[in-house]
Amino acid sequence: MTTPTATPSTERGRRTRDALVTAARRVFETRGYAGTRMQDVAAEAGVSHGTVYTWFGSKDELLREVTHAIVGEVVDASRERPREASSVDPYDRLASATSRVMAGYRRNARMLAVVEEAASADAEWATLLDQLREIYVERTRRTLHRLQDEGVVAPDIRPDLAAPALTGMVETFARRTAADPSTPDADTEQLTRLWARSVGMPVPPADPPHRA
């Protein structure tokens, strides 16, 4: 990913640039990648067309900057918290991580769809999506290895194969439910149970699910 054309040297410049990034995200989420124009971002931010080009040379540079925030959030969401690492219950740790990742996907669902749209026309964005997924896959792979060392995950599970399969399941579910921010916690709990059972983790008892 390339570096933006200009870096603010003043507080006013930083505020202007931040406002442009915020405005760009709103426009991208509303209009999509192909439908977004630099003048749309200028209008949304309430600045002149030229002001946008002072900080960003193209629509792609704006999309890169917005995506930086998504990368940071995905990395943070997939990172185990110290209080989770010290938990004696691996299932509780898994449930907390699944809930956090799901919330992160919901917050960024529209922008991830924009990046996917861009990826259909530009290999650079396809590579970025692969990098985003690999962050989550690698953390899951390491988690599986650690849980095997703890005797929690079945020894016949191959983390190199299970990690992309399990993260793909979570990602697909998150995408399908992203349009509904009120997705019940029970759905995420079911996702956690599927994850745990697939690798042989002990799962706590629960009430039978309601039949639709």
Side-chain angles (χ1 to χ4, degrees), residues 77-112:
S78 61
R79 182 181 294 119
E80 189 173 60
R81 302 302 192 256
R83 61 180 174 79
E84 293 171 3
S86 62
S87 172
V88 295
D89 190 336
Y91 184 84
D92 286 348
R93 280 151 44 189
L94 173 61
S96 178
T98 302
S99 179
R100 195 171 58 249
V101 169
M102 286 289 294
Y105 268 110
R106 289 192 191 110
R107 283 192 296 272
N108 293 296
R110 289 184 180 180
M111 276 309 305
L112 286 169

Side-chain angles (χ1 to χ4, degrees), residues 42-187:
E44 181 69 25
V47 299
S48 69
H49 196 189
T51 298
V52 181
Y53 282 102
T54 297
W55 302 107
F56 299 97
S58 67
K59 177 173 68 175
D60 278 359
E61 286 188 4
L62 272 167
L63 182 56
R64 289 188 189 100
E65 189 66 17
V66 174
T67 306
H68 273 303
I70 297 176
V71 173
E73 187 163 334
V74 169
V75 171
D76 185 63
S78 61
R79 182 181 294 119
E80 189 173 60
R81 302 302 192 256
R83 61 180 174 79
E84 293 171 3
S86 62
S87 172
V88 295
D89 190 336
Y91 184 84
D92 286 348
R93 280 151 44 189
L94 173 61
S96 178
T98 302
S99 179
R100 195 171 58 249
V101 169
M102 286 289 294
Y105 268 110
R106 289 192 191 110
R107 283 192 296 272
N108 293 296
R110 289 184 180 180
M111 276 309 305
L112 286 169
V114 172
V115 176
E116 286 190 341
E117 181 191 351
S120 67
D122 189 328
E124 178 185 359
W125 295 105
T127 298
L128 173 62
L129 281 176
D130 287 342
Q131 290 171 345
L132 282 170
R133 291 182 176 118
E134 185 56 31
I135 291 169
Y136 185 25
V137 169
E138 178 56 29
R139 291 190 184 279
T140 302
R141 187 181 296 119
R142 292 202 300 267
T143 296
L144 287 168
H145 276 297
R146 187 183 69 252
L147 291 174
Q148 279 184 325
D149 291 341
E150 296 174 5
V152 176
V153 164
D156 61 341
I157 294 296
R158 287 183 52 185
D160 60 319
L161 295 181
L166 292 170
T167 54
M169 177 184 70
V170 174
E171 179 184 7
T172 300
F173 184 82
R175 288 173 185 276
R176 291 177 66 89
T177 61
D180 180 11
S182 63
T183 298
D185 290 340
D187 288 2

